[in-house]
Amino acid sequence: MRVSRIVGWVRFLAALVALAAMVGLFVCPSAAWLQAFSWLPRIQLVPAVAAGSVLVLVGIAVSVALCGRLYCSTVCPLGILQEIFRDVVTLGGRWGARPGRLRPVEKTVENAIRIVCLLAFVASAFFGLFAFLAPYGIFGRAVASFADVKVTAVKVLALGQLALILLATLWRGRFWCNTICPVGTFLGLFSRFAVFRVRIDRAKCVNCNLCVRACPNGCIPPDKGKKVDHSRCVSCFVCAGVCGKEALTWR
């Protein structure tokens, strides 16, 4: 098995364990086995900002500087849930639409939406409403709703918001992460400069576009001489795993 596939599987298994633990912490927080994972909520970006956890914020900053948006695919529960949902429903991407390359007009619109959502998120913090755009808040409210048998407007809104985010993955992959999520937008500003990134060796690339079709985020254009969009890439290693020529590496 190639190193890229091993790294990809390790990343996926770590994300799966993190997601299961965070679901458990919301549904049955008193379970003894979950106490070993009680630190997971504290390393979420928005809760860390709200709590003023300098060490956590420094840790996230270092991880972005080194590994780009690996946080989005391994730590963020909403990001992990989107990946698993899409893989299960589309049988690992064997059917359904793949996020393609954005045309210039679409790219402009997407960037405008990103900026508006990021500014709205910052502004909403002054009114205590930022949790409605924060990925961890969305995930937490939706999961906690399953433990509450009462039907309330908050519960319906939480589950409805989660359902829309998950359904959007069938249309354009991590649409929420790359277009609306303020955390994803913020981290994307710096991830393009990360030390370790997915890179394409053009000498080995035969332009088969397997990586283009495999990428769940639409980070790789189908052009000859293709280049990874590191502002969108979450270092999931799916592209490197499908490349038979080992033209994609993480270095």
Side-chain angles (χ1 to χ4, degrees):
M1 184 178 287
R2 297 196 305 271
V3 173
S4 57
R5 289 191 177 181
I6 295 174
V7 173
W9 274 108
V10 170
R11 194 280 315 170
F12 179 75
L13 290 175
L16 194 61
V17 171
L19 178 64
M22 282 185 275
V23 169
L25 286 169
F26 275 105
V27 176
C28 50
S30 60
W33 71 273
L34 287 171
Q35 301 316 304
F37 299 96
S38 60
W39 52 273
L40 280 171
R42 294 196 293 271
I43 64 170
Q44 302 299 316
L45 180 59
V46 175
V49 171
S53 303
V54 177
L55 287 178
V56 172
L57 296 177
V58 170
I60 293 174
V62 171
S63 74
V64 175
L66 291 177
C67 308
R69 287 177 59 183
L70 185 63
Y71 170 95
C72 297
S73 63
T74 311
V75 177
C76 176
L78 187 60
I80 301 168
L81 182 61
Q82 289 177 77
E83 176 183 355
I84 293 174
F85 174 82
R86 192 174 195 280
D87 281 349
V88 169
V89 174
T90 66
L91 300 177
R94 291 184 178 85
W95 71 271
R98 277 285 179 187
R101 183 185 184 186
L102 296 176
R103 294 189 291 270
V105 174
E106 293 176 320
K107 188 69 174 177
T108 301
V109 172
E110 182 187 77
N111 287 334
I113 294 174
R114 282 178 171 182
I115 294 171
V116 169
C117 289
L118 182 59
L119 293 176
F121 176 73
V122 174
S124 66
F126 294 98
F127 303 98
L129 299 174
F130 61 85
F132 288 95
L133 278 176
Y136 186 69
I138 293 169
F139 172 83
R141 285 193 307 277
V143 173
S145 296
F146 287 104
D148 183 7
V149 295
K150 294 181 181 178
V151 178
T152 64
V154 173
K155 180 176 181 179
V156 172
L157 178 62
L159 293 176
Q161 187 179 20
L162 180 63
L164 288 175
I165 291 172
L166 293 180
L167 289 174
T169 65
L170 304 179
W171 167 55
R172 199 179 281 276
R174 285 183 178 232
F175 174 75
W176 171 271
C177 298
N178 290 324
T179 308
I180 299 175
C181 178
V183 173
T185 297
F186 179 71
L187 297 183
L189 295 174
F190 307 99
S191 62
R192 67 189 71 194
F193 307 112
V195 175
F196 300 104
R197 293 172 284 170
V198 173
R199 303 173 193 268
I200 300 175
D201 186 341
R202 293 190 178 89
K204 294 182 179 180
C205 178
V206 295
N207 207 40
C208 64
N209 286 333
L210 285 176
C211 60
V212 176
R213 292 192 292 272
C215 178
N217 299 325
C219 301
I220 308 174
D223 309 334
K224 221 171 182 178
K226 52 180 68 71
K227 187 177 180 181
V228 179
D229 181 352
H230 293 104
S231 69
R232 299 164 62 92
C233 177
V234 296
S235 299
C236 64
F237 307 109
V238 172
C239 58
V242 301
C243 181
K245 301 298 180 180
E246 296 189 18
L248 290 104
T249 56
W250 193 65
R251 56 184 174 82

